[in-house]
Amino acid sequence: ALRRSLNLVTVRVLQNLIRKPSLVVEYAHKMGIKSHLDPVDAIALGASDVTPLEITSAYGVFANGGVRVEPMAILRVEDQNGNVLEENYPKRQEVLRKQTAYIMTDLLQTVINRGTGARARYMYHFYPPAAGKTGTTNDYSDAWFIGFTPLVVTGVWVGIDDYTISLGKGQTGSRAALPIWANYMKCLYDTLNLPPVKFEMPEGVVRVKICADTKKLANDICPNKIDEVFETKFAPTEYCDKHVNLFSPNRNKRKKKGRIRF
């Protein structure tokens, strides 16, 4: 659902599992969102306004394994002789567990690998491990793409401050914002010769194959299998019981008709 931007599912997760929009607001603020957020169900749809810097910084928490890093424009100032006149160090704070950050990152990777952000791969040829999410507001007045690798977080917003003005029909996040993100990231990686580092799986997380139908551990004969990551304590332990007899030796044998003997 996430990779295809089926937002109704996100709302149902909030209503049926989280149940408290105020909890979403609390975590958003922990992750770096400073703008006011209304604690309502529509927050799952992105109903509140935030700045590009805020949302990009928040996605950095996933890239950093749950650690929030305060954005900083100037790290160091030197004079003409190389003497350091000023040096700043970013503030770091753990706001999510490593396991939570990794599972969220794994979900967001599907957006780029085979979801609404897949054009970054097949059209713009950016291939390092990456995760991200498209965003589109009503009437196409805003288009977003926030994406990250283990090394870089980049956010792109395309829009106009006047919400009554549309970017044009069909100008979604994947069409208007993603191309800018993908071209920039490819240029950055090529210019700096950055390595295609993979996201590191922390302890306490496992990757297993599950049956797409039963959501239990997949058997060899399950027709549709999915790779999923779980916290170890929540990983399924039972195997699929729906496809066990799918290719039973007796499945295709014609049953003999009973004979009546006199």
Side-chain angles (χ1 to χ4, degrees):
L2 184 69
R3 67 182 173 89
R4 296 168 57 193
S5 287
L6 301 180
N7 296 327
L8 181 59
V9 176
T10 308
V11 175
R12 287 175 176 170
V13 169
L14 173 58
Q15 292 176 333
N16 299 328
L17 297 179
I18 301 175
R19 298 183 180 179
K20 292 182 178 180
S22 59
L23 189 60
V24 177
V25 173
E26 178 184 340
Y27 270 92
H29 286 157
K30 284 182 179 180
M31 294 174 66
I33 303 298
K34 298 180 180 179
S35 298
H36 172 76
L37 302 175
D38 293 319
V40 295
D41 289 351
I43 195 174
L45 302 174
S48 298
D49 291 337
V50 299
T51 68
L53 180 59
E54 286 177 313
I55 192 68
T56 304
S57 173
Y59 270 66
V61 173
F62 301 134
N64 289 326
V67 177
R68 153 85 172 147
V69 179
E70 187 72 25
M72 182 175 295
I74 300 175
L75 294 178
R76 186 172 63 250
V77 178
E78 299 179 357
D79 64 17
Q80 59 184 355
N81 298 316
N83 298 313
V84 178
L85 304 179
E86 179 181 340
E87 193 164 11
N88 301 310
Y89 298 93
K91 297 179 181 178
R92 302 170 63 90
Q93 180 183 4
E94 184 175 351
V95 295
L96 290 180
R97 295 183 305 115
K98 292 181 180 180
Q99 294 81 3
T100 302
Y102 181 83
I103 291 173
M104 193 66 219
T105 296
D106 188 75
L107 288 171
L108 291 171
Q109 284 187 85
T110 65
V111 174
I112 291 182
N113 291 336
R114 58 182 189 276
T116 56
R119 286 153 57 98
R121 302 296 198 202
Y122 70 81
M123 185 172 291
Y124 300 103
H125 310 295
F126 180 68
Y127 298 119
K133 187 69 184 73
T134 54
T136 309
T137 55
N138 294 341
D139 300 321
Y140 305 106
S141 59
D142 296 279
W144 296 81
F145 191 84
I146 315 296
F148 59 94
T149 70
L151 303 177
V152 182
V153 184
T154 301
V156 175
W157 168 70
V158 179
I160 303 171
D161 288 338
D162 186 349
Y163 293 139
T164 63
I165 302 176
S166 173
L167 295 173
K169 186 176 181 180
Q171 293 303 304
T172 61
S174 63
R175 285 187 174 273
L178 175 66
I180 300 172
W181 182 90
N183 281 320
Y184 167 78
M185 292 293 282
K186 187 176 188 309
C187 180
L188 180 70
Y189 265 70
D190 291 346
T191 302
L192 300 181
N193 196 27
L194 297 178
V197 180
K198 294 183 179 180
F199 293 102
E200 184 177 351
M201 180 184 291
E203 293 184 2
V205 175
V206 294
R207 183 180 297 276
V208 298
K209 286 188 180 295
I210 63 172
C211 173
D213 296 331
T214 64
K215 305 302 185 289
K216 297 180 180 180
L217 292 172
N219 293 309
D220 291 339
I221 58 176
C222 289
N224 298 309
K225 303 174 186 178
I226 305 173
D227 275 334
E228 288 289 359
V229 293
F230 297 89
E231 281 199 58
T232 305
K233 59 185 177 182
F234 297 126
T237 56
E238 297 181 358
Y239 280 88
C240 171
D241 52 6
K242 179 179 180 180
H243 303 111
V244 173
N245 298 317
L246 187 62
F247 298 107
S248 171
N250 298 321
R251 180 178 177 83
N252 296 319
K253 287 186 178 180
R254 181 179 296 178
K255 293 183 179 180
K256 295 182 179 180
K257 294 182 179 180
R259 294 182 179 179
I260 300 177
R261 295 187 178 183
F262 296 95

